[in-house]
Amino acid sequence: MSAGLDPDTLVELVRRAVAEDLPEGPADSGADTGDPVDTGAPVERGVSAAGPVDPGVRRRGAVDTTSVATVAPGLHGRGVIVARARGVVAGLPVAAAVFEVVLAERYTGRHDSPDIHPRQDLPDVHRTGETADEHTKAESGWTGGLDIEIIASDGDRVSPGDAVLTVAGPVRALLTAERTALNLLCHLSGVATATRRWVDAVDGTGVSIRDTRKTLPGLRALEKYAVRCGGGRNHRMSLADAALVKDNHVVAAGGVAAAFAAVRARFPGLPVEVECDTVAQVAEAVTAGADLILCDNMSLDELRESVAIARPNGVELEASGGLTLDVARRVAETGVDYLAIGALTHSAPALDLGLDLDLNLNLESDPAPGSDADLGPSADLGPSADLGLGTGSGTA
């Protein structure tokens, strides 16, 4: 909530992501503590990965076969999420939510009764630096649920070896949640890292870096949050909260001025941005009364001419199209107010982070030998820093 994200929407997204790894299927024979739980629902007639299924047979959530086979059901440990590359971290509360959902809805080890329902409360969590809720135990360490410590803050620069989050709990649950948590965290951190490189490239010019709607379906709120973590600003979140008159709208309406007038007449209080390909169109949009003009694929000279026309009239300009980090500063110095960068979300490489498991803990379960994460100092991320092309350690 403090990140501006809707908790219910996030939990539903996490549930769908976890279900890709743990779909519903026939009951597993090893029903020991810590295995995924029986959903209590009958299987519908159809075909699963294992072949045809019969109706009327009670089904059970699929198991993490590797973890069930290799990890003792009562084993507790701590996972440390560590940066493997330099970048900007984003999505730590999202990663924490993955671990909470997996433990609450897929594993039985912490509960008095193995009967777990999909809509139950999330498990007990101790989060360092966060406000305690009714489930939180005051002491640090094993709580019977999860002990999550968010070490870094979203938007922090990190270097290889920096720990950003620790989570203590049943090892099976930690390993089952690992890939989903890292998929989201690495992707969002990649978006934040890419954004920070653009922000750093135009530092001191007064220009803001903005995103677009070129986001992955279902992840827009998270990706735009990651842009904010990287120091960028959000453009419109949807087609409803602002109007952007683009070239096809101009064709349909019969001209720039006609398209702008149509939007203004239908939605008088809505901010209206007009996309222009030429300086002449910029002049037309300014005369029509546009609030903001998107200068698409213009040269530096054309941008300077557009600024000379728009600035005296109090109209802001946004440059877009064909922008790269190499030319970002020169474009910013033309006097535009924003750079619109679709690549922040549609082309950002994932930042490499991984989870290191430590069993050498003083918890209620019997400890097992393990090794501490190798933590290193943090460092600044310059415009040419390594974005990290990996997606986290291992192949979980």
Side-chain angles (χ1 to χ4, degrees), residues 144-162:
L146 292 176
D147 184 347
I148 298 176
E149 181 180 1
I150 298 178
I151 300 171
S153 296
D154 281 355
D156 282 355
R157 299 174 189 258
V158 295
S159 294
D162 287 348

Side-chain angles (χ1 to χ4, degrees), residues 122-201:
L122 294 179
D124 298 342
V125 176
H126 169 264
R127 289 183 176 178
T128 297
E130 296 192 5
T131 303
D133 61 25
E134 64 183 16
H135 297 297
T136 302
K137 303 292 179 65
E139 70 276 6
S140 179
W142 179 251
T143 66
L146 292 176
D147 184 347
I148 298 176
E149 181 180 1
I150 298 178
I151 300 171
S153 296
D154 281 355
D156 282 355
R157 299 174 189 258
V158 295
S159 294
D162 287 348
V164 298
L165 180 148
T166 66
V167 53
V171 171
R172 285 188 181 180
L174 301 188
L175 298 185
T176 297
E178 174 185 1
R179 178 45 49 198
T180 300
L182 288 177
N183 282 349
L184 289 166
L185 183 61
C186 293
H187 174 58
L188 298 179
S189 296
V191 171
T193 300
T195 303
R196 175 53 63 184
R197 293 186 68 180
W198 282 90
V199 170
D200 288 347

Side-chain angles (χ1 to χ4, degrees), residues 230-244:
R233 293 179 59 181
N234 296 146
H235 194 242
R236 56 181 180 166
M237 296 296 292
S238 72
L239 294 170
D241 52 57
L244 174 56

Side-chain angles (χ1 to χ4, degrees), residues 276-285 298 301-303 305-306 309:
C276 296
D277 300 321
T278 67
V279 175
Q281 287 182 334
V282 170
E284 186 180 357
M298 289 190 182
D301 287 340
E302 288 174 324
L303 288 173
E305 290 183 57
S306 297
I309 294 170

Side-chain angles (χ1 to χ4, degrees), residues 348-359:
L351 181 66
D352 194 358
L353 300 109
L355 184 140
D356 295 331
L357 183 64
D358 182 6
L359 302 182

Side-chain angles (χ1 to χ4, degrees), residues 39 65 80 112 195 239 250 270 300 386:
T39 65
T65 56
V80 184
D112 294 332
T195 303
L239 294 170
V250 172
L270 200 67
L300 296 177
D386 177 18

